[in-house]
Amino acid sequence: MRSVIGLLLLGALAVAGCDKQSQPSQQANVTAPATAGVPAPGGAVDRSHKGEAAPTIPFTDAAGKKTTLAAFQGKPVLLNLWATWCVPCIKEMPTLDTLAGKAGDTLVVLPLSQDLKGMEVVGPFFQKNGYQHLKPWLDTDTAFSVQLGVNLPTTILYDSAGKEVWRVSGEFDWAGDQAAKLIAEAQ
């Protein structure tokens, strides 16, 4: 029964969840509602959830050990919800890797895969792309995407106390100057 539900969720995410714009510049021209925040290249900064506590949803590391976002409290966390089948997600991963390298231990960059097959697909994806600074994290139940009601990719910044600062939906250059200014808001 769980696999049937999982397949239905994956189908729904595949149809509606992933922003499939082939040209990121087109997405930047989409006007976000006034409550969503300011436009950003490749997405919109949404501050409507500012101050909300990080979800307590469990997820796993590559070895299958369960954890939650609370385990990272004390440092800002940039949570990126993505999947190996999501084109904009894949396009922004190298910029997340660069950001993770620049940030060192001042920021946790946490790419949380929403792939139902977990390390079966995420492991080879990470190996093929040779990320130097990112570690794979897994949410094979897609609980984050479903509970937060977000499309992929969505990236959420939590401050060191575990409170949301903002979120960005859509592809974004995480290694750029605008990302650095946004991330500085968590300090």
Side-chain angles (χ1 to χ4, degrees):
M1 183 65 160
R2 180 176 176 218
S3 62
V4 171
I5 293 171
L7 287 173
L8 290 173
L9 287 173
L10 178 60
L13 283 172
V15 171
C18 185
D19 177 359
K20 294 180 178 127
Q21 295 276 341
S22 60
Q23 297 178 8
S25 60
Q26 290 175 347
Q27 187 176 5
N29 293 330
V30 174
T31 305
T35 59
V38 297
V45 178
D46 177 355
R47 299 175 194 283
S48 65
H49 299 276
K50 185 173 180 145
E52 290 180 11
T56 58
I57 304 166
F59 56 96
T60 62
D61 64 13
K65 182 181 174 193
K66 287 194 177 215
T67 191
T68 65
L69 289 173
F72 301 95
Q73 202 160 348
K75 290 185 184 179
V77 174
L78 189 71
L79 173 70
N80 177 261
L81 302 176
W82 72 285
T84 58
W85 46 262
C86 173
V87 174
C89 301
I90 294 167
K91 289 171 89 176
E92 73 177 358
M93 289 294 278
T95 68
L96 284 166
D97 191 49
T98 300
L99 171 62
K102 285 180 186 176
D105 17 329
T106 63
L107 173 73
V108 175
V109 179
L110 202 153
L112 184 58
S113 168
Q114 302 296 285
D115 286 282
L116 296 176
K117 291 185 177 181
M119 281 307 288
E120 182 181 330
V121 293
V122 174
F125 177 84
F126 264 68
Q127 191 171 41
K128 173 186 162 200
N129 290 290
Y131 301 120
Q132 300 294 310
H133 308 287
L134 296 178
K135 296 178 185 172
W137 297 90
L138 311 166
D139 175 18
T140 57
D141 295 326
T142 66
F144 272 84
S145 297
V146 172
Q147 184 173 327
L148 296 174
V150 297
N151 294 333
L152 301 180
T154 292
T155 305
I156 305 170
L157 180 66
Y158 295 99
D159 64 19
S160 58
K163 302 292 184 187
E164 184 169 328
V165 179
W166 48 253
R167 59 180 68 179
V168 172
S169 296
E171 182 184 341
F172 194 81
D173 176 8
W174 294 106
D177 291 340
Q178 187 169 12
K181 289 176 188 172
L182 288 170
I183 292 166
E185 293 179 30
Q187 307 308 330

mmCIF file with all atom_site columns, all heavy atoms in Angstrom, residues 135-157:
data_model
loop_
_atom_site.group_PDB
_atom_site.id
_atom_site.type_symbol
_atom_site.label_atom_id
_atom_site.label_alt_id
_atom_site.label_comp_id
_atom_site.label_asym_id
_atom_site.label_entity_id
_atom_site.label_seq_id
_atom_site.pdbx_PDB_ins_code
_atom_site.Cartn_x
_atom_site.Cartn_y
_atom_site.Cartn_z
_atom_site.occupancy
_atom_site.B_iso_or_equiv
_atom_site.pdbx_formal_charge
_atom_site.auth_seq_id
_atom_site.auth_comp_id
_atom_site.auth_asym_id
_atom_site.auth_atom_id
_atom_site.pdbx_PDB_model_num
ATOM 1   N N   . LYS A 1 135 ? 26.673 16.785 0.649  1.00 0.00 ? 135 LYS A N   1
ATOM 2   C CA  . LYS A 1 135 ? 26.409 15.404 1.051  1.00 0.00 ? 135 LYS A CA  1
ATOM 3   C C   . LYS A 1 135 ? 24.951 15.115 0.706  1.00 0.00 ? 135 LYS A C   1
ATOM 4   O O   . LYS A 1 135 ? 24.091 15.973 0.880  1.00 0.00 ? 135 LYS A O   1
ATOM 5   C CB  . LYS A 1 135 ? 26.613 15.224 2.555  1.00 0.00 ? 135 LYS A CB  1
ATOM 6   C CG  . LYS A 1 135 ? 28.027 15.445 3.008  1.00 0.00 ? 135 LYS A CG  1
ATOM 7   C CD  . LYS A 1 135 ? 28.103 15.304 4.506  1.00 0.00 ? 135 LYS A CD  1
ATOM 8   C CE  . LYS A 1 135 ? 29.504 15.637 4.998  1.00 0.00 ? 135 LYS A CE  1
ATOM 9   N NZ  . LYS A 1 135 ? 29.573 15.701 6.448  1.00 0.00 ? 135 LYS A NZ  1
ATOM 10  N N   . PRO A 1 136 ? 24.656 13.895 0.262  1.00 0.00 ? 136 PRO A N   1
ATOM 11  C CA  . PRO A 1 136 ? 23.258 13.575 -0.048 1.00 0.00 ? 136 PRO A CA  1
ATOM 12  C C   . PRO A 1 136 ? 22.433 13.317 1.212  1.00 0.00 ? 136 PRO A C   1
ATOM 13  O O   . PRO A 1 136 ? 22.875 12.618 2.118  1.00 0.00 ? 136 PRO A O   1
ATOM 14  C CB  . PRO A 1 136 ? 23.367 12.316 -0.908 1.00 0.00 ? 136 PRO A CB  1
ATOM 15  C CG  . PRO A 1 136 ? 24.665 11.690 -0.524 1.00 0.00 ? 136 PRO A CG  1
ATOM 16  C CD  . PRO A 1 136 ? 25.566 12.808 -0.084 1.00 0.00 ? 136 PRO A CD  1
ATOM 17  N N   . TRP A 1 137 ? 21.244 13.883 1.236  1.00 0.00 ? 137 TRP A N   1
ATOM 18  C CA  . TRP A 1 137 ? 20.264 13.650 2.288  1.00 0.00 ? 137 TRP A CA  1
ATOM 19  C C   . TRP A 1 137 ? 18.987 13.198 1.596  1.00 0.00 ? 137 TRP A C   1
ATOM 20  O O   . TRP A 1 137 ? 18.701 13.626 0.485  1.00 0.00 ? 137 TRP A O   1
ATOM 21  C CB  . TRP A 1 137 ? 20.033 14.921 3.099  1.00 0.00 ? 137 TRP A CB  1
ATOM 22  C CG  . TRP A 1 137 ? 21.277 15.377 3.811  1.00 0.00 ? 137 TRP A CG  1
ATOM 23  C CD1 . TRP A 1 137 ? 22.229 16.231 3.326  1.00 0.00 ? 137 TRP A CD1 1
ATOM 24  C CD2 . TRP A 1 137 ? 21.709 14.980 5.102  1.00 0.00 ? 137 TRP A CD2 1
ATOM 25  N NE1 . TRP A 1 137 ? 23.223 16.392 4.248  1.00 0.00 ? 137 TRP A NE1 1
ATOM 26  C CE2 . TRP A 1 137 ? 22.934 15.634 5.356  1.00 0.00 ? 137 TRP A CE2 1
ATOM 27  C CE3 . TRP A 1 137 ? 21.182 14.130 6.074  1.00 0.00 ? 137 TRP A CE3 1
ATOM 28  C CZ2 . TRP A 1 137 ? 23.628 15.474 6.546  1.00 0.00 ? 137 TRP A CZ2 1
ATOM 29  C CZ3 . TRP A 1 137 ? 21.884 13.971 7.259  1.00 0.00 ? 137 TRP A CZ3 1
ATOM 30  C CH2 . TRP A 1 137 ? 23.091 14.638 7.492  1.00 0.00 ? 137 TRP A CH2 1
ATOM 31  N N   . LEU A 1 138 ? 18.212 12.350 2.257  1.00 0.00 ? 138 LEU A N   1
ATOM 32  C CA  . LEU A 1 138 ? 17.090 11.684 1.600  1.00 0.00 ? 138 LEU A CA  1
ATOM 33  C C   . LEU A 1 138 ? 15.767 11.836 2.349  1.00 0.00 ? 138 LEU A C   1
ATOM 34  O O   . LEU A 1 138 ? 15.712 11.663 3.562  1.00 0.00 ? 138 LEU A O   1
ATOM 35  C CB  . LEU A 1 138 ? 17.394 10.195 1.455  1.00 0.00 ? 138 LEU A CB  1
ATOM 36  C CG  . LEU A 1 138 ? 18.766 9.841  0.860  1.00 0.00 ? 138 LEU A CG  1
ATOM 37  C CD1 . LEU A 1 138 ? 19.077 8.375  1.074  1.00 0.00 ? 138 LEU A CD1 1
ATOM 38  C CD2 . LEU A 1 138 ? 18.796 10.202 -0.601 1.00 0.00 ? 138 LEU A CD2 1
ATOM 39  N N   . ASP A 1 139 ? 14.733 12.139 1.577  1.00 0.00 ? 139 ASP A N   1
ATOM 40  C CA  . ASP A 1 139 ? 13.355 12.173 2.073  1.00 0.00 ? 139 ASP A CA  1
ATOM 41  C C   . ASP A 1 139 ? 12.547 11.320 1.094  1.00 0.00 ? 139 ASP A C   1
ATOM 42  O O   . ASP A 1 139 ? 11.851 11.832 0.227  1.00 0.00 ? 139 ASP A O   1
ATOM 43  C CB  . ASP A 1 139 ? 12.847 13.618 2.119  1.00 0.00 ? 139 ASP A CB  1
ATOM 44  C CG  . ASP A 1 139 ? 11.381 13.742 2.502  1.00 0.00 ? 139 ASP A CG  1
ATOM 45  O OD1 . ASP A 1 139 ? 10.821 12.769 3.064  1.00 0.00 ? 139 ASP A OD1 1
ATOM 46  O OD2 . ASP A 1 139 ? 10.795 14.802 2.235  1.00 0.00 ? 139 ASP A OD2 1
ATOM 47  N N   . THR A 1 140 ? 12.679 9.999  1.207  1.00 0.00 ? 140 THR A N   1
ATOM 48  C CA  . THR A 1 140 ? 12.054 9.086  0.246  1.00 0.00 ? 140 THR A CA  1
ATOM 49  C C   . THR A 1 140 ? 10.536 9.050  0.356  1.00 0.00 ? 140 THR A C   1
ATOM 50  O O   . THR A 1 140 ? 9.869  8.513  -0.532 1.00 0.00 ? 140 THR A O   1
ATOM 51  C CB  . THR A 1 140 ? 12.612 7.654  0.391  1.00 0.00 ? 140 THR A CB  1
ATOM 52  O OG1 . THR A 1 140 ? 12.414 7.214  1.738  1.00 0.00 ? 140 THR A OG1 1
ATOM 53  C CG2 . THR A 1 140 ? 14.088 7.611  0.046  1.00 0.00 ? 140 THR A CG2 1
ATOM 54  N N   . ASP A 1 141 ? 9.982  9.631  1.405  1.00 0.00 ? 141 ASP A N   1
ATOM 55  C CA  . ASP A 1 141 ? 8.524  9.722  1.545  1.00 0.00 ? 141 ASP A CA  1
ATOM 56  C C   . ASP A 1 141 ? 7.995  11.037 0.967  1.00 0.00 ? 141 ASP A C   1
ATOM 57  O O   . ASP A 1 141 ? 6.794  11.286 1.020  1.00 0.00 ? 141 ASP A O   1
ATOM 58  C CB  . ASP A 1 141 ? 8.118  9.626  3.020  1.00 0.00 ? 141 ASP A CB  1
ATOM 59  C CG  . ASP A 1 141 ? 8.442  8.277  3.625  1.00 0.00 ? 141 ASP A CG  1
ATOM 60  O OD1 . ASP A 1 141 ? 8.370  7.263  2.907  1.00 0.00 ? 141 ASP A OD1 1
ATOM 61  O OD2 . ASP A 1 141 ? 8.783  8.238  4.829  1.00 0.00 ? 141 ASP A OD2 1
ATOM 62  N N   . THR A 1 142 ? 8.877  11.882 0.473  1.00 0.00 ? 142 THR A N   1
ATOM 63  C CA  . THR A 1 142 ? 8.549  13.229 -0.029 1.00 0.00 ? 142 THR A CA  1
ATOM 64  C C   . THR A 1 142 ? 7.742  14.026 0.995  1.00 0.00 ? 142 THR A C   1
ATOM 65  O O   . THR A 1 142 ? 6.935  14.877 0.633  1.00 0.00 ? 142 THR A O   1
ATOM 66  C CB  . THR A 1 142 ? 7.835  13.197 -1.400 1.00 0.00 ? 142 THR A CB  1
ATOM 67  O OG1 . THR A 1 142 ? 6.550  12.594 -1.260 1.00 0.00 ? 142 THR A OG1 1
ATOM 68  C CG2 . THR A 1 142 ? 8.640  12.481 -2.448 1.00 0.00 ? 142 THR A CG2 1
ATOM 69  N N   . ALA A 1 143 ? 7.987  13.759 2.262  1.00 0.00 ? 143 ALA A N   1
ATOM 70  C CA  . ALA A 1 143 ? 7.223  14.401 3.333  1.00 0.00 ? 143 ALA A CA  1
ATOM 71  C C   . ALA A 1 143 ? 7.416  15.918 3.352  1.00 0.00 ? 143 ALA A C   1
ATOM 72  O O   . ALA A 1 143 ? 6.473  16.658 3.610  1.00 0.00 ? 143 ALA A O   1
ATOM 73  C CB  . ALA A 1 143 ? 7.604  13.792 4.679  1.00 0.00 ? 143 ALA A CB  1
ATOM 74  N N   . PHE A 1 144 ? 8.634  16.383 3.078  1.00 0.00 ? 144 PHE A N   1
ATOM 75  C CA  . PHE A 1 144 ? 8.876  17.835 3.095  1.00 0.00 ? 144 PHE A CA  1
ATOM 76  C C   . PHE A 1 144 ? 8.075  18.526 2.000  1.00 0.00 ? 144 PHE A C   1
ATOM 77  O O   . PHE A 1 144 ? 7.396  19.519 2.254  1.00 0.00 ? 144 PHE A O   1
ATOM 78  C CB  . PHE A 1 144 ? 10.369 18.142 2.931  1.00 0.00 ? 144 PHE A CB  1
ATOM 79  C CG  . PHE A 1 144 ? 11.110 18.175 4.239  1.00 0.00 ? 144 PHE A CG  1
ATOM 80  C CD1 . PHE A 1 144 ? 11.572 17.007 4.812  1.00 0.00 ? 144 PHE A CD1 1
ATOM 81  C CD2 . PHE A 1 144 ? 11.352 19.372 4.891  1.00 0.00 ? 144 PHE A CD2 1
ATOM 82  C CE1 . PHE A 1 144 ? 12.259 17.026 6.015  1.00 0.00 ? 144 PHE A CE1 1
ATOM 83  C CE2 . PHE A 1 144 ? 12.028 19.411 6.098  1.00 0.00 ? 144 PHE A CE2 1
ATOM 84  C CZ  . PHE A 1 144 ? 12.484 18.229 6.673  1.00 0.00 ? 144 PHE A CZ  1
ATOM 85  N N   . SER A 1 145 ? 8.173  18.039 0.770  1.00 0.00 ? 145 SER A N   1
ATOM 86  C CA  . SER A 1 145 ? 7.447  18.666 -0.340 1.00 0.00 ? 145 SER A CA  1
ATOM 87  C C   . SER A 1 145 ? 5.951  18.664 -0.089 1.00 0.00 ? 145 SER A C   1
ATOM 88  O O   . SER A 1 145 ? 5.273  19.663 -0.334 1.00 0.00 ? 145 SER A O   1
ATOM 89  C CB  . SER A 1 145 ? 7.720  17.923 -1.649 1.00 0.00 ? 145 SER A CB  1
ATOM 90  O OG  . SER A 1 145 ? 9.067  17.999 -1.990 1.00 0.00 ? 145 SER A OG  1
ATOM 91  N N   . VAL A 1 146 ? 5.447  17.542 0.382  1.00 0.00 ? 146 VAL A N   1
ATOM 92  C CA  . VAL A 1 146 ? 4.003  17.404 0.596  1.00 0.00 ? 146 VAL A CA  1
ATOM 93  C C   . VAL A 1 146 ? 3.539  18.282 1.761  1.00 0.00 ? 146 VAL A C   1
ATOM 94  O O   . VAL A 1 146 ? 2.597  19.057 1.623  1.00 0.00 ? 146 VAL A O   1
ATOM 95  C CB  . VAL A 1 146 ? 3.619  15.924 0.819  1.00 0.00 ? 146 VAL A CB  1
ATOM 96  C CG1 . VAL A 1 146 ? 2.164  15.792 1.223  1.00 0.00 ? 146 VAL A CG1 1
ATOM 97  C CG2 . VAL A 1 146 ? 3.897  15.113 -0.441 1.00 0.00 ? 146 VAL A CG2 1
ATOM 98  N N   . GLN A 1 147 ? 4.214  18.182 2.912  1.00 0.00 ? 147 GLN A N   1
ATOM 99  C CA  . GLN A 1 147 ? 3.769  18.945 4.083  1.00 0.00 ? 147 GLN A CA  1
ATOM 100 C C   . GLN A 1 147 ? 3.907  20.450 3.864  1.00 0.00 ? 147 GLN A C   1
ATOM 101 O O   . GLN A 1 147 ? 3.052  21.215 4.282  1.00 0.00 ? 147 GLN A O   1
ATOM 102 C CB  . GLN A 1 147 ? 4.545  18.540 5.332  1.00 0.00 ? 147 GLN A CB  1
ATOM 103 C CG  . GLN A 1 147 ? 4.035  19.260 6.578  1.00 0.00 ? 147 GLN A CG  1
ATOM 104 C CD  . GLN A 1 147 ? 4.663  18.759 7.857  1.00 0.00 ? 147 GLN A CD  1
ATOM 105 O OE1 . GLN A 1 147 ? 4.992  17.593 7.986  1.00 0.00 ? 147 GLN A OE1 1
ATOM 106 N NE2 . GLN A 1 147 ? 4.844  19.641 8.825  1.00 0.00 ? 147 GLN A NE2 1
ATOM 107 N N   . LEU A 1 148 ? 4.981  20.880 3.198  1.00 0.00 ? 148 LEU A N   1
ATOM 108 C CA  . LEU A 1 148 ? 5.176  22.307 2.969  1.00 0.00 ? 148 LEU A CA  1
ATOM 109 C C   . LEU A 1 148 ? 4.393  22.809 1.750  1.00 0.00 ? 148 LEU A C   1
ATOM 110 O O   . LEU A 1 148 ? 4.278  24.013 1.539  1.00 0.00 ? 148 LEU A O   1
ATOM 111 C CB  . LEU A 1 148 ? 6.664  22.619 2.805  1.00 0.00 ? 148 LEU A CB  1
ATOM 112 C CG  . LEU A 1 148 ? 7.527  22.345 4.040  1.00 0.00 ? 148 LEU A CG  1
ATOM 113 C CD1 . LEU A 1 148 ? 9.004  22.556 3.722  1.00 0.00 ? 148 LEU A CD1 1
ATOM 114 C CD2 . LEU A 1 148 ? 7.102  23.211 5.214  1.00 0.00 ? 148 LEU A CD2 1
ATOM 115 N N   . GLY A 1 149 ? 3.900  21.883 0.931  1.00 0.00 ? 149 GLY A N   1
ATOM 116 C CA  . GLY A 1 149 ? 3.117  22.249 -0.245 1.00 0.00 ? 149 GLY A CA  1
ATOM 117 C C   . GLY A 1 149 ? 3.925  23.038 -1.266 1.00 0.00 ? 149 GLY A C   1
ATOM 118 O O   . GLY A 1 149 ? 3.444  24.036 -1.788 1.00 0.00 ? 149 GLY A O   1
ATOM 119 N N   . VAL A 1 150 ? 5.144  22.579 -1.540 1.00 0.00 ? 150 VAL A N   1
ATOM 120 C CA  . VAL A 1 150 ? 6.029  23.323 -2.439 1.00 0.00 ? 150 VAL A CA  1
ATOM 121 C C   . VAL A 1 150 ? 6.367  22.511 -3.680 1.00 0.00 ? 150 VAL A C   1
ATOM 122 O O   . VAL A 1 150 ? 6.295  21.289 -3.687 1.00 0.00 ? 150 VAL A O   1
ATOM 123 C CB  . VAL A 1 150 ? 7.336  23.743 -1.728 1.00 0.00 ? 150 VAL A CB  1
ATOM 124 C CG1 . VAL A 1 150 ? 7.037  24.683 -0.569 1.00 0.00 ? 150 VAL A CG1 1
ATOM 125 C CG2 . VAL A 1 150 ? 8.132  22.535 -1.252 1.00 0.00 ? 150 VAL A CG2 1
ATOM 126 N N   . ASN A 1 151 ? 6.744  23.233 -4.738 1.00 0.00 ? 151 ASN A N   1
ATOM 127 C CA  . ASN A 1 151 ? 7.254  22.624 -5.962 1.00 0.00 ? 151 ASN A CA  1
ATOM 128 C C   . ASN A 1 151 ? 8.763  22.481 -5.853 1.00 0.00 ? 151 ASN A C   1
ATOM 129 O O   . ASN A 1 151 ? 9.392  23.082 -4.980 1.00 0.00 ? 151 ASN A O   1
ATOM 130 C CB  . ASN A 1 151 ? 6.924  23.512 -7.168 1.00 0.00 ? 151 ASN A CB  1
ATOM 131 C CG  . ASN A 1 151 ? 5.435  23.603 -7.419 1.00 0.00 ? 151 ASN A CG  1
ATOM 132 O OD1 . ASN A 1 151 ? 4.685  22.703 -7.076 1.00 0.00 ? 151 ASN A OD1 1
ATOM 133 N ND2 . ASN A 1 151 ? 5.007  24.704 -8.012 1.00 0.00 ? 151 ASN A ND2 1
ATOM 134 N N   . LEU A 1 152 ? 9.334  21.733 -6.759 1.00 0.00 ? 152 LEU A N   1
ATOM 135 C CA  . LEU A 1 152 ? 10.784 21.570 -6.807 1.00 0.00 ? 152 LEU A CA  1
ATOM 136 C C   . LEU A 1 152 ? 11.372 22.402 -7.932 1.00 0.00 ? 152 LEU A C   1
ATOM 137 O O   . LEU A 1 152 ? 10.735 22.519 -8.973 1.00 0.00 ? 152 LEU A O   1
ATOM 138 C CB  . LEU A 1 152 ? 11.138 20.097 -7.021 1.00 0.00 ? 152 LEU A CB  1
ATOM 139 C CG  . LEU A 1 152 ? 10.629 19.114 -5.969 1.00 0.00 ? 152 LEU A CG  1
ATOM 140 C CD1 . LEU A 1 152 ? 11.060 17.706 -6.321 1.00 0.00 ? 152 LEU A CD1 1
ATOM 141 C CD2 . LEU A 1 152 ? 11.080 19.482 -4.578 1.00 0.00 ? 152 LEU A CD2 1
ATOM 142 N N   . PRO A 1 153 ? 12.525 22.960 -7.750 1.00 0.00 ? 153 PRO A N   1
ATOM 143 C CA  . PRO A 1 153 ? 13.256 23.078 -6.488 1.00 0.00 ? 153 PRO A CA  1
ATOM 144 C C   . PRO A 1 153 ? 12.693 24.194 -5.619 1.00 0.00 ? 153 PRO A C   1
ATOM 145 O O   . PRO A 1 153 ? 12.234 25.208 -6.108 1.00 0.00 ? 153 PRO A O   1
ATOM 146 C CB  . PRO A 1 153 ? 14.671 23.433 -6.940 1.00 0.00 ? 153 PRO A CB  1
ATOM 147 C CG  . PRO A 1 153 ? 14.482 24.182 -8.221 1.00 0.00 ? 153 PRO A CG  1
ATOM 148 C CD  . PRO A 1 153 ? 13.265 23.574 -8.872 1.00 0.00 ? 153 PRO A CD  1
ATOM 149 N N   . THR A 1 154 ? 12.759 23.967 -4.327 1.00 0.00 ? 154 THR A N   1
ATOM 150 C CA  . THR A 1 154 ? 12.465 25.004 -3.343 1.00 0.00 ? 154 THR A CA  1
ATOM 151 C C   . THR A 1 154 ? 13.598 24.975 -2.334 1.00 0.00 ? 154 THR A C   1
ATOM 152 O O   . THR A 1 154 ? 14.007 23.908 -1.877 1.00 0.00 ? 154 THR A O   1
ATOM 153 C CB  . THR A 1 154 ? 11.117 24.768 -2.631 1.00 0.00 ? 154 THR A CB  1
ATOM 154 O OG1 . THR A 1 154 ? 10.061 24.958 -3.573 1.00 0.00 ? 154 THR A OG1 1
ATOM 155 C CG2 . THR A 1 154 ? 10.916 25.732 -1.467 1.00 0.00 ? 154 THR A CG2 1
ATOM 156 N N   . THR A 1 155 ? 14.090 26.164 -2.003 1.00 0.00 ? 155 THR A N   1
ATOM 157 C CA  . THR A 1 155 ? 15.178 26.288 -1.039 1.00 0.00 ? 155 THR A CA  1
ATOM 158 C C   . THR A 1 155 ? 14.713 27.197 0.080  1.00 0.00 ? 155 THR A C   1
ATOM 159 O O   . THR A 1 155 ? 14.155 28.261 -0.169 1.00 0.00 ? 155 THR A O   1
ATOM 160 C CB  . THR A 1 155 ? 16.433 26.862 -1.720 1.00 0.00 ? 155 THR A CB  1
ATOM 161 O OG1 . THR A 1 155 ? 16.753 26.031 -2.851 1.00 0.00 ? 155 THR A OG1 1
ATOM 162 C CG2 . THR A 1 155 ? 17.614 26.882 -0.775 1.00 0.00 ? 155 THR A CG2 1
ATOM 163 N N   . ILE A 1 156 ? 14.934 26.751 1.321  1.00 0.00 ? 156 ILE A N   1
ATOM 164 C CA  . ILE A 1 156 ? 14.469 27.487 2.494  1.00 0.00 ? 156 ILE A CA  1
ATOM 165 C C   . ILE A 1 156 ? 15.661 27.765 3.405  1.00 0.00 ? 156 ILE A C   1
ATOM 166 O O   . ILE A 1 156 ? 16.437 26.851 3.711  1.00 0.00 ? 156 ILE A O   1
ATOM 167 C CB  . ILE A 1 156 ? 13.397 26.684 3.266  1.00 0.00 ? 156 ILE A CB  1
ATOM 168 C CG1 . ILE A 1 156 ? 12.241 26.307 2.329  1.00 0.00 ? 156 ILE A CG1 1
ATOM 169 C CG2 . ILE A 1 156 ? 12.891 27.473 4.474  1.00 0.00 ? 156 ILE A CG2 1
ATOM 170 C CD1 . ILE A 1 156 ? 11.248 25.324 2.922  1.00 0.00 ? 156 ILE A CD1 1
ATOM 171 N N   . LEU A 1 157 ? 15.792 29.015 3.839  1.00 0.00 ? 157 LEU A N   1
ATOM 172 C CA  . LEU A 1 157 ? 16.843 29.383 4.777  1.00 0.00 ? 157 LEU A CA  1
ATOM 173 C C   . LEU A 1 157 ? 16.255 29.441 6.182  1.00 0.00 ? 157 LEU A C   1
ATOM 174 O O   . LEU A 1 157 ? 15.252 30.120 6.424  1.00 0.00 ? 157 LEU A O   1
ATOM 175 C CB  . LEU A 1 157 ? 17.445 30.747 4.415  1.00 0.00 ? 157 LEU A CB  1
ATOM 176 C CG  . LEU A 1 157 ? 18.558 31.241 5.340  1.00 0.00 ? 157 LEU A CG  1
ATOM 177 C CD1 . LEU A 1 157 ? 19.796 30.336 5.231  1.00 0.00 ? 157 LEU A CD1 1
ATOM 178 C CD2 . LEU A 1 157 ? 18.924 32.687 5.030  1.00 0.00 ? 157 LEU A CD2 1
#
